[in-house]
Amino acid sequence: MAITVFIADDQAMVRQGFGALLASQPDISVIGDAPDGAVAVSEVRRLRPDVVLMDVRMPEMNGLDAARVILSAGFDPPVRVLMLTTFDVDDYVYEALSIGASGFMLKDAPAEELIRAVRVVADGEALLAPTVTRRLIADVTSRRSTARRKPAALSALTPREREVLELIARGMSNTEIAERLFVAEQTVKTHVGKVLSKLDLRDRAQAVVLAYESGLVTPG
């Protein structure tokens, strides 16, 4: 089945350009778009896409607020949100990941990166592998003034689960983690599931936030 995508951006050219690009892929179907966050929330509730491309800055309701509403709705199957951002809104990255967004893309990223991003997010993984993404996460989290203290829940992780969490935070996919640890990919998926369950996290993106915020992984 095709991956269904919804695009929310206040610029018509962005919606049309991204829509045409994604619709040209045999495994992706663009089922709607919206010029602002309020319309996006309403349409996503009606259409239930697999992935929402959500611009951060929009009128009526900004992308972060719209994403928060969508991600807290408890859709089953889940609706994944991929934030669209530019370098001048780096400070929004941390909040986007904290509310459960599956990652973010720079608007000027190459076409092949956007297509890959949709596929990665639709598959349930966080889009955290590109170098620029790791750098932005590191920059944002390193600027936070809150003291980093390891949550007590981290002590519930086995050494291997903690290692998997660290690799997730470094931006590795399940396949890459399996290759690094010389184990089967299914074994990695099992470890990831246990990490999320023990730490009461919604998804991999929140796992990355916790790993940085706790100091388990440091920027750089």
Side-chain angles (χ1 to χ4, degrees), residues 140-148 213:
V140 172
T141 55
S142 66
R143 288 200 300 269
R144 291 181 63 82
S145 60
T146 55
R148 290 175 177 165
E213 192 173 47

Side-chain angles (χ1 to χ4, degrees), residues 1-8 14-15 17-32 49-54 78-84 102-106 109-130 133:
M1 296 179 63
I3 299 168
T4 55
V5 177
F6 187 91
I7 303 171
V14 171
R15 299 197 305 272
F18 284 1
L21 172 65
L22 295 172
S24 69
Q25 302 302 303
D27 60 334
I28 298 175
S29 175
V30 179
I31 61 173
D50 297 316
V51 178
V52 178
L53 296 184
M54 183 77 74
V79 174
R80 313 286 183 182
V81 176
L82 180 61
M83 304 300 298
L84 299 173
S102 293
F104 56 95
M105 285 289 298
L106 298 178
E112 59 271 18
E113 283 192 18
L114 176 64
I115 295 169
R116 173 184 172 274
V118 168
R119 290 171 177 153
V120 167
V121 169
D123 196 39
E125 293 198 32
L127 187 77
L128 301 167
T133 304

Side-chain angles (χ1 to χ4, degrees), residues 33-59:
D33 61 54
D36 62 64
V39 174
V41 168
S42 176
E43 286 295 278
V44 167
R45 282 174 173 158
R46 182 176 69 88
L47 298 171
R48 303 290 181 89
D50 297 316
V51 178
V52 178
L53 296 184
M54 183 77 74
D55 186 22
V56 169
R57 289 181 172 175
M58 291 188 293

Side-chain angles (χ1 to χ4, degrees), residues 52 54 63-64 67-68 71 79-84 92-104 121 125-128 202-207 209:
V52 178
M54 183 77 74
L64 289 172
R68 185 178 288 106
L71 292 167
V79 174
R80 313 286 183 182
V81 176
L82 180 61
M83 304 300 298
L84 299 173
Y92 292 119
V93 172
Y94 183 90
E95 185 175 353
L97 295 176
S98 296
I99 64 177
S102 293
F104 56 95
V121 169
E125 293 198 32
L127 187 77
L128 301 167
R202 181 189 295 117
D203 53 30
R204 296 168 72 101
Q206 290 192 331
V209 171

